[in-house]
Amino acid sequence: MSASLPGSRDLPASQYDLKTYWGRVRHAADISDPRTLFVSSAGLERAKSLIASYKQNRIPTMTPELWSAKKVVDATLHPDTGTPVFLPFRMSCYVLSNLVVTAGMLTPGLQTTGTLLWQIGNQSLNVAVNNANANKSTPSPSRKSAIGLNALVPRLKSISPNTRLILSRLVPFAAVASASALNVFLMRGEEIRQGIDVYPVLSDSERAKRELNEDAEPVQSLGKSKKAATIAVGETAISRVLNATPIMVLPPLILVRLEKTDWLRARPRMVTPINLALILGTSIFALPLALAAFPSRQAISVDSLEEEFRGRGGDLGMVEFNRGIPFNEEEVPLYP
């Protein structure tokens, strides 16, 4: 990412207002934009050169060209090494990579082995994405809930065939939602046990002074808070579920309706392509909305934390911490 390029000057975090939900949605859409996958090696080098020029004070202000360069760099480079992340595991490829496993998990009539294999594939992809972006992930255990639900639905005799069909199509959602949330808690459980750093919130005047002082010392952590970590990990898990919900619910329900039309009945081979198109369209819109559900840098009252932090908050008694985004919990300094 841009932090790995030479130069001491920091780039603005975003061209959008990250304090608002729609500002975060637009920022997340940039991070996950699949069009960045088509940038050539020469285009990436040009983007890196522009960013380096800004960081070395050779370009005075951010321009539309610089914002485009930052988008390419942040979507392509590893945050620590500065080398390109393996393409299938980039955030900008997340929707496309998940399309395959999502389509597999939505396949009607999966038996025990098929359900288990697709769930393992789904969680393995999540682990690979996190590892490729410098995260340590712990795969969740096999999905007994999905297997049990697949076995249970056909035994429900008191419901109509149409309701039974709808429930069978929603089984993958229950499995994916629970597995994704569990994966987050397993992957980031150490944060809850050890706590995460919290920092005092600076007032506007304090921030302005720091911007004018190039030699300003970094804001020091007040310590590690387990309560802040619980909030951060819990919100990340919720974001994962929010991302899975429309993808695993809307396409199968729409497909149930479409399969009753004369047009699709006469063209059964079109079921799979239509299903994939529905999944792809839903995924493109769902990912930024889920990523933006909670701010990555979160401010809360110091009174919400452990006793040791009482009276040590910053402006208006507030502290803040890095929550991380749901699919790449990269730690970035709160202040330059």
Side-chain angles (χ1 to χ4, degrees):
M1 301 178 77
S2 55
S4 62
L5 297 178
S8 57
R9 185 183 181 193
D10 290 323
L11 276 78
S14 175
Q15 59 182 315
Y16 308 113
D17 184 0
L18 299 182
K19 294 181 180 179
T20 67
Y21 175 68
W22 289 112
R24 295 195 298 273
V25 168
R26 296 176 71 183
H27 179 70
D30 272 356
I31 294 174
S32 57
D33 189 346
R35 292 176 296 181
T36 59
L37 298 173
F38 300 102
V39 175
S40 65
S41 297
L44 175 60
E45 290 303 317
R46 286 195 296 271
K48 290 168 62 177
S49 177
L50 274 172
I51 295 300
S53 295
Y54 178 88
K55 295 185 68 176
Q56 294 167 359
N57 289 299
R58 295 201 297 267
I59 299 179
T61 59
M62 293 296 292
T63 63
E65 188 179 17
L66 265 172
W67 284 120
S68 296
K70 184 178 185 298
K71 174 179 175 178
V72 169
V73 167
D74 286 351
T76 305
L77 300 186
H78 187 284
D80 296 324
T81 66
T83 58
V85 174
F86 185 46
L87 190 145
F89 302 150
R90 296 176 192 171
M91 280 304 303
S92 51
C93 197
Y94 188 82
V95 167
L96 301 178
S97 297
N98 269 273
L99 180 62
V100 177
V101 292
T102 302
M105 289 185 293
L106 289 174
T107 302
L110 282 179
Q111 300 302 313
T112 299
T113 301
T115 299
L116 183 60
L117 289 176
W118 279 116
Q119 290 293 334
I120 291 174
N122 175 55
Q123 293 306 312
S124 296
L125 177 61
N126 284 335
V127 170
V129 169
N130 284 312
N131 281 336
N133 291 278
N135 290 289
K136 298 297 183 182
S137 303
T138 304
S140 50
S142 57
R143 313 298 168 238
K144 295 182 180 179
S145 60
I147 297 171
L149 287 171
N150 269 334
L152 172 64
V153 171
R155 299 177 184 175
L156 299 176
K157 305 298 184 182
S158 61
I159 60 176
S160 67
N162 187 59
T163 302
R164 189 179 297 114
L165 173 63
I166 291 174
L167 288 177
S168 68
R169 297 292 176 87
L170 294 181
V171 165
F173 163 66
V176 170
S178 58
S180 295
L182 179 60
N183 188 284
V184 171
F185 282 98
L186 290 174
M187 182 174 63
R188 299 181 60 180
E190 191 63 23
E191 294 179 29
I192 296 177
R193 290 187 288 270
Q194 300 295 330
I196 59 175
D197 288 317
V198 295
Y199 301 83
V201 171
L202 300 183
S203 65
D204 291 340
S205 60
E206 289 173 325
R207 291 177 184 270
K209 289 179 181 177
R210 291 182 60 83
E211 290 177 0
L212 296 175
N213 183 8
E214 295 183 358
D215 299 323
E217 292 292 327
V219 176
Q220 297 299 311
S221 167
L222 297 175
K224 292 186 179 294
S225 168
K226 295 180 181 180
K227 290 187 176 181
T230 301
I231 294 173
V233 176
E235 290 181 349
T236 300
I238 293 173
S239 295
R240 289 278 185 99
V241 174
L242 290 176
N243 182 65
T245 299
I247 299 170
M248 305 302 289
V249 171
L250 294 180
L253 294 183
I254 294 173
L255 195 62
V256 167
R257 285 297 189 93
L258 293 178
E259 286 176 331
K260 296 178 181 179
T261 64
D262 293 336
W263 185 88
L264 195 54
R265 284 177 177 174
R267 300 168 177 82
R269 293 184 179 180
M270 291 299 296
V271 171
T272 299
I274 290 175
N275 194 20
L276 291 175
L278 289 171
I279 294 169
L280 178 61
T282 306
S283 300
I284 290 173
F285 287 100
L287 182 58
L289 295 174
L291 289 174
F294 304 101
S296 291
R297 296 179 181 181
Q298 188 144 332
I300 60 173
S301 171
V302 73
D303 295 332
S304 303
L305 302 182
E306 292 86 343
E307 188 68 32
E308 65 187 270
F309 297 103
R310 301 293 167 84
R312 300 173 60 198
D315 189 39
L316 301 178
M318 303 291 284
V319 295
E320 59 182 350
F321 55 87
N322 283 314
R323 180 182 66 85
I325 62 177
F327 302 96
N328 175 13
E329 290 82 10
E330 174 195 347
E331 286 295 330
V332 292
L334 284 170
Y335 301 103

